[in-house]
């Protein structure tokens, strides 16, 4: 039986991890790729890339353009870097209105200004009608690392505080609503935002006590925490009551039968911080508009290693595994 | 009337230039992007990107994988940089056989080894069946600049020698034949190859006398020379008899009614060199297997500025303009 690519391979969860490890890492293996972090750290430089295939191209709170800039800015910020220069490569579908393209490039330019980065090189390809979906964008970015300490999921230690920078799931649910596939009239906008300022503030306040940063994109907070638990051989224990979720997101998730822990954000991050600096980290995050609702949502423990456990509101405990399948295709 | 994206916007010629200048440069404008060179030069670093949408994915002499590595390696080499690190971002169509993906990643790994670069970070997105064409890849690359002199199209001066590193048009014609759209049985393989070694040899031999390097990809040698003529306000005068073209390429071009000067190469470059070092440049290029058939094909003149003129075999002269339309869609 021939193995084929499925949508789940793009969801950021279990199938994506398997594909990346069995196909891409296997073929390209080298020490810089191996950590499979948000970006690669090359001396005092960070390098990262993402493709954007979000559908629809325009949605409340943003469009594919600001997503493509903010997403790459954020992966650089998660490396502890100051984002500097971006590349922007476009695959355009024949028939795309140039007015739409102008709206997208205007968003990108505004997002680049807001994040203080420059788009310095790019590429433009066109494919026949029916061979793309309006517009796909791939950005890559380089950033400057000027701090001593290395951030890494592997450095997370039992006792560490697990913090989320704000309410989760807004982006994913906004996209689902924007597709009109849900019979729901909720007021929701994407959380797409550049997080480099927030990370700079956190790192300035807590320095080496910050173990690891990850933006909670595809697969959501649950997937990011699984990656951290696996890499550090710790057990991440979450307190369900502490996880900030907007009522509209909770409602939409219930209708769709999706756990909000798996829903993508585009302007939220998970920070793991040594216990003695947890309060300082929360203060630093909350001093910034993008971290105003930051919350301590759990702790790293030691047993069982590699698992994420959720203490539910009802007093029970359940395992939060990697995302399986693809409940929300083409969210970013 | 609403303006729409057409295939010509992706051909690398007149429509591409207009779109890049009116939409992308207009929105993103900054001094590093402005020269619109093969890549951006940022201090002692070069940065570049290209998307690859070639159809078919596999063809004689290569596949989308080695194209995606060599193409980005070459744009770095054209900046005068030593290619170092690549990113690789995949947009996969649901239903793509994983065996095909493995073939592609194996080619990329081999091409990366051959060019002495590492693929250090990547991304994987999946779109629904019918929303891509098997696989699109975007690579970005960074390279190290360790030479003093800056290469630029603007620095070309009347009298300079215009050199091409080998026979032109092999890649484009190979793709057309591989699509089976031509009733022709020619033995042709793509010229896809990494040019960083060849550029290093040329720069070592001729240093500052090398004014400008450009790989002759979409739009071919004619388009590259137009860009050079425009940027330098010189007139490039070509000798048709001197342009190396394989008989099979010439034959296929005649059948298709295409001028080989516009056909994409993926392993050939144009080098413009100060007159006193023209012979040294040819010797340096010919000492390398990828430059064995390098040829002096013309000179920069001063009048009329901004034009490319071809002295034909019949003794006439005609203007070689930018490519119009898209005779060869999705060649790379
Ligand atoms: N096709 C690929 N080739 C090489 N490495 C890849 C590829 N796809 C992903 N990776 C690597 O796998 C890791 C996880 O990638 P992933 O795209 O899930 O991270 P992310 O960009 O932080 O998340 P998102 O794409 O949802 O924003 C990263 O280290 C990335 O460099
Ligand atoms: N969408 C875009 N946004 C910003 N700059 C772009 C964009 N597309 C192209 N450019 C810039 O325009 C110039 C020409 O791009 P082009 O892709 O034709 O060059 P190339 O990569 O050398 O050729 P090819 O893509 O055929 O290999 C480059 O400087 C590139 O950075
Ligand atoms: Mg990330
Ligand atoms: Mg990302
Ligand atoms: Mg290009
Ligand atoms: Mg080029
Ligand atoms: Mg190129
Ligand atoms: Mg990614």
């Amino acid at each position: 039986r021939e193995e084929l690519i499925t949508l789940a391979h793009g969801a950021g969860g279990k199938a994506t991890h398997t594909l990346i490890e069995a196909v891409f890492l296997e073929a390209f293996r080298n020490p810089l790729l191996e950590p499979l972090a948000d970006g690669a750290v090359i001396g005092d430089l960070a390098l990262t890339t993402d493709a954007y295939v979000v559908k629809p191209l325009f949605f409340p709170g943003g469009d594919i353009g600001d997503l493509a800039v903010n997403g790459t800015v954020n992966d650089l910020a998660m490396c502890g870097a100051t984002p500097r220069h971006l590349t922007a490569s476009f695959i355009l579908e024949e028939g795309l209105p140039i007015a739409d393209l102008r709206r997208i490039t205007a968003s990108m330019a505004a997002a680049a200004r807001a994040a203080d980065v420059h788009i310095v090189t790019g590429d433009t390809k066109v494919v026949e009608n029916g061979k793309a979906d309006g517009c796909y964008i791939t950005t890559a970015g380089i950033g400057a690392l000027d701090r001593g300490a290395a951030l890494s999921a592997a450095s997370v230690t039992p006792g560490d505080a697990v913090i989320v920078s704000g309410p989760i799931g807004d982006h994913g649910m906004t996209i689902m609503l924007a597709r009109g596939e849900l019979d729901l009239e909720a007021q929701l906008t994407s959380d797409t935002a550049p997080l480099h300022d927030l990370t700079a503030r956190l790192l300035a306040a807590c320095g080496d006590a910050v173990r690891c940063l990850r933006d909670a994109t595809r697969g959501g907070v649950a997937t990011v925490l699984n990656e951290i638990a696996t890499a550090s051989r710790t057990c991440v224990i979450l307190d369900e009551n502490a996880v900030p979720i907007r009522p509209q997101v909770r409602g939409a998730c219930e209708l769709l039968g999706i756990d909000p822990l798996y829903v993508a954000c585009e302007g939220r991050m998970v920070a793991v911080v040594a216990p003695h600096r947890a309060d300082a980290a929360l203060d630093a995050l909350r001093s910034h508009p993008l971290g105003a609702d930051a919350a301590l949502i759990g702790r790293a423990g030691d047993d069982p290693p590699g698992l994420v456990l959720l203490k539910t509101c009802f007093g029970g405990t359940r395992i939060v595994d990697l995302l399986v399948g693809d409940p929300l295709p083409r969210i970013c």
Side-chain angles (χ1 to χ4, degrees), chain A:
Chain A
R1 205 175 52 79
E2 198 179 33
E3 279 187 301
L4 304 178
I5 291 292
T6 65
L7 288 174
H9 287 114
K14 196 162 262 178
T16 308
H17 280 78
T18 308
L19 185 74
I20 290 173
E21 279 165 28
V23 176
F24 297 111
L25 182 58
E26 194 59 29
F28 305 153
R29 191 179 301 276
N30 62 71
L32 298 181
L33 176 60
E34 196 115 34
L36 295 177
D38 297 275
V41 171
I42 308 165
D44 58 0
L45 220 78
L47 176 65
T48 193
T49 190
D50 265 324
Y52 297 86
V53 299
V54 66
K55 173 186 174 172
L57 296 175
F58 304 95
F59 47 81
D63 62 37
I64 190 173
D66 31 45
L67 218 57
V69 169
N70 290 338
T72 288
V73 160
N74 290 347
D75 276 329
L76 292 172
M78 298 306 123
C79 297
T82 306
R84 293 264 194 252
H85 302 283
L86 300 193
T87 71
S89 182
F90 291 73
I91 297 173
L92 306 176
E93 186 187 9
E94 188 186 9
L96 176 75
I98 291 182
D100 286 359
L101 187 59
R102 283 189 190 276
R103 249 180 97 183
I104 293 166
T105 53
S107 296
M108 293 178 78
R113 264 192 305 277
D116 200 19
V117 294
H118 295 282
I119 298 168
V120 296
T121 188
D123 188 56
T124 310
K125 297 288 189 297
V126 180
V127 295
E128 305 90 331
N129 201 300
K131 298 295 181 189
D133 204 356
C135 171
Y136 300 145
I137 303 176
T138 297
T139 50
I142 55 179
L145 281 159
D146 39 22
R147 52 193 296 281
L151 299 167
S152 88
S155 70
V156 169
T157 307
D160 286 354
V162 176
I163 293 170
V164 70
S165 65
I168 65 171
D170 293 14
H171 177 73
M173 282 303 115
T174 301
I175 299 298
M176 294 313 280
L177 292 178
R179 285 192 200 146
E181 287 170 12
L182 263 179
D183 192 18
L184 190 77
E185 292 269 330
Q187 285 286 347
L188 259 181
T189 56
S190 169
D191 52 44
T192 180
L195 296 174
H196 63 298
D197 246 13
L198 191 63
T199 55
R201 206 169 281 198
L202 176 63
L203 292 168
C206 300
D208 285 3
V210 182
R211 313 277 198 205
C212 164
L213 300 172
R214 289 225 62 176
D215 55 340
T217 52
R218 290 177 295 165
V221 167
T223 303
V224 161
L225 292 178
N226 267 280
E227 290 165 2
I228 292 172
T230 303
S232 60
R233 307 300 300 145
T234 63
C235 166
V236 173
I237 303 147
L238 288 183
D239 175 1
E240 187 167 29
N241 283 312
V243 180
I245 303 170
R246 295 187 202 282
Q248 312 94 293
V249 170
R250 198 183 293 281
C253 281
E254 268 166 25
L255 267 179
L256 277 166
I258 295 176
D259 183 338
L261 281 172
Y262 293 97
V263 179
C265 317
E266 289 289 340
R268 303 290 174 222
M269 65 176 177
V270 168
V272 185
V273 180
H276 69 287
R277 299 299 289 159
D279 288 338
L282 284 166
D283 288 346
L285 292 172
R286 288 174 185 155
S287 74
H288 191 286
L290 290 171
D293 298 314
L296 176 76
I297 60 170
R299 292 272 172 194
D302 49 17
D303 197 58
L307 280 193
V308 179
L309 299 180
L310 182 77
K311 291 203 199 159
T312 69
C313 328
F314 310 108
T317 298
R318 65 174 174 84
I319 294 177
V320 179
D321 207 347
L322 275 179
L323 179 67
V324 174
D326 190 5
L328 309 169
R330 295 184 50 194
I331 224 74
C332 67

